[in-house]
Amino acid sequence: MTRNPAAGGLRPRHVTCFRLADASVTLTTTVTAATRAAEDTLYAYQTTTDTHAAWHIDITITDPRHSLLDAPPDVGDLREIGPSELTARHITEGGREVFWIDRHRTLVIHDPTLRATTVHCATDDAATYYAARLVRQLITAQLLVAGAVYTHTAALVHRDHGILIAGHPGAGKTTTLVAVLRQLGGEFVTSDRLLLTPDRNDGLLGYAWPAHIRVGIGTLLAYPDLTGLVPTGLHTDPADLHTKLSIEPPDIPRLLHAGTLTASCRPHVMIWPQLAPTAGNARHERIPAETVHATLTSNQLFMHRPTAGASSHINHWLAPTPPAHTTESNRNAVIATLARTVPCYALVARPDPIVIADAVTAILHDADAATR
């Protein structure tokens, strides 16, 4: 038990160990809501009460009048650490990195030597905001060091087949994902980012980057049982159809028609959707391996637009990614294996759930035939 000045009493300390593959982080906090939010959001991670982990995070509530929060650092560089222009002032002090986040009155002390991160928050809301984010970043950092790379990809498992749905924003990844899961069934892995890594059998494994799923209003309105997720005022204006709403992990099974969530998949087929209302009859085409290799190299697994910069934003402000040459080498290895071992198809179709599901069924049939 720990005395909490802000709360005026004692709070129990909750300890949860999160694991994915060989990565692990123990979260200790006095904020029950922070523990619950982390466990709900990070659906892909195994949780135990074990205190042994590669990294430790301790989140506490500190009285705002305490010197830690009342006199935060006013020197150092300013870093972007999140959406909506969220920034932190950063300094290095005795081998530790210190981040002061003024918007949330939060102080983060990151010690790479001890592999420990201590977080002092002025409010329970701030502790809840950072719990899942910091655990996910440290789990991801460990996977990246082990050779994984980011892909801008949705993923699911259907009848033991891992289906990767890759593309830049607006291609129709989430619409295709939801259509397949609701019409054909399967397990949800991720809706936007997948961490791909070589396995011991000269193949690939994909690990979920767990987060909420952002779904276009038009996709939700295509299913009568999901229209209640769309605010009434957005039901009729065609201009709103491409606006995306966030569905948090606890509600994802409802979105997927009572589908299940899983942590990983072994890629069996990759699909590059091109959905448009004017697409006409659905059609798919096998993409030659050399074209897959060249395309994925130029767009860095759809994380980068060659002419417009980042396609999916990455911000490892707490735990840096590996050096650029290491990341490039890991990415090249993954791309080579993808192009060589995973059939890839372009899919052109209208954003109609039944049309998409029928087209994906045909692609799976073709992919099975190609790998026999």
Side-chain angles (χ1 to χ4, degrees), residues 97-337:
E97 292 188 89
V98 179
F99 299 86
W100 167 249
I101 308 161
D102 188 68
R103 186 187 301 179
H104 296 134
R105 306 293 294 174
T106 293
L107 186 71
V108 179
I109 302 170
H110 184 72
D111 191 328
T113 302
L114 296 179
R115 299 182 72 81
T117 301
T118 304
V119 185
H120 300 275
C121 300
T123 66
D124 285 18
D125 286 346
T128 301
Y129 180 87
Y130 286 104
R133 287 169 170 82
L134 298 186
V135 170
R136 182 176 57 206
Q137 188 173 151
L138 290 170
I139 288 281
T140 301
Q142 294 172 55
L143 294 175
L144 295 176
V145 168
V149 294
Y150 278 107
T151 63
H152 197 181
T153 302
L156 70 139
V157 178
H158 172 68
R159 295 183 178 176
D160 296 326
H161 288 353
I163 303 174
L164 311 187
I165 306 168
H168 293 303
K173 295 188 300 298
T174 303
T175 299
T176 303
L177 173 77
V178 173
V180 174
L181 285 168
R182 288 182 65 91
Q183 300 295 322
L184 304 180
E187 300 169 284
F188 171 87
V189 180
T190 186
S191 68
D192 191 63
R193 293 184 197 169
L194 186 74
L195 295 160
L196 273 178
T197 185
D199 70 1
R200 297 181 180 89
N201 300 313
D202 197 31
L204 294 170
L205 279 173
Y207 292 109
W209 191 85
H212 57 233
I213 176 173
R214 291 181 56 76
V215 186
I217 288 176
T219 298
L220 293 172
L221 293 179
Y223 303 95
D225 61 309
L226 297 180
T227 57
L229 295 175
V230 181
T232 304
L234 302 178
H235 278 223
T236 57
D237 188 346
D240 293 324
L241 294 181
H242 295 293
T243 300
K244 292 194 173 184
L245 303 178
S246 292
I247 309 297
E248 297 300 324
D251 294 324
I252 290 176
R254 174 187 172 189
L255 172 70
L256 304 180
H257 211 42
T260 56
L261 285 67
T262 192
S264 64
C265 66
R266 188 174 297 279
H268 175 78
V269 64
M270 174 178 270
I271 298 172
W272 297 352
Q274 301 170 40
L275 304 186
T278 57
N281 294 330
R283 57 193 186 277
H284 66 273
E285 179 182 0
R286 174 79 181 268
I287 303 173
E290 58 272 19
T291 303
V292 173
H293 191 285
T295 302
L296 294 179
T297 300
S298 67
N299 63 34
Q300 299 178 15
L301 291 161
F302 287 104
M303 295 295 294
H304 180 82
R305 292 181 187 268
T307 59
S311 174
S312 183
H313 186 62
I314 298 174
N315 190 342
H316 279 261
W317 59 273
L318 184 66
T321 57
H325 68 276
T326 301
T327 298
E328 183 178 5
S329 176
N330 292 340
R331 185 168 55 237
N332 289 341
V334 166
I335 290 172
T337 304

Side-chain angles (χ1 to χ4, degrees), residues 73-81 86-93 96-101 317:
D74 58 359
V75 295
D77 59 298
L78 201 62
R79 295 190 177 183
E80 178 189 350
I81 66 166
L86 181 62
T87 59
R89 191 161 293 281
H90 168 260
I91 62 173
T92 301
E93 179 184 82
R96 304 181 306 173
E97 292 188 89
V98 179
F99 299 86
W100 167 249
I101 308 161
W317 59 273

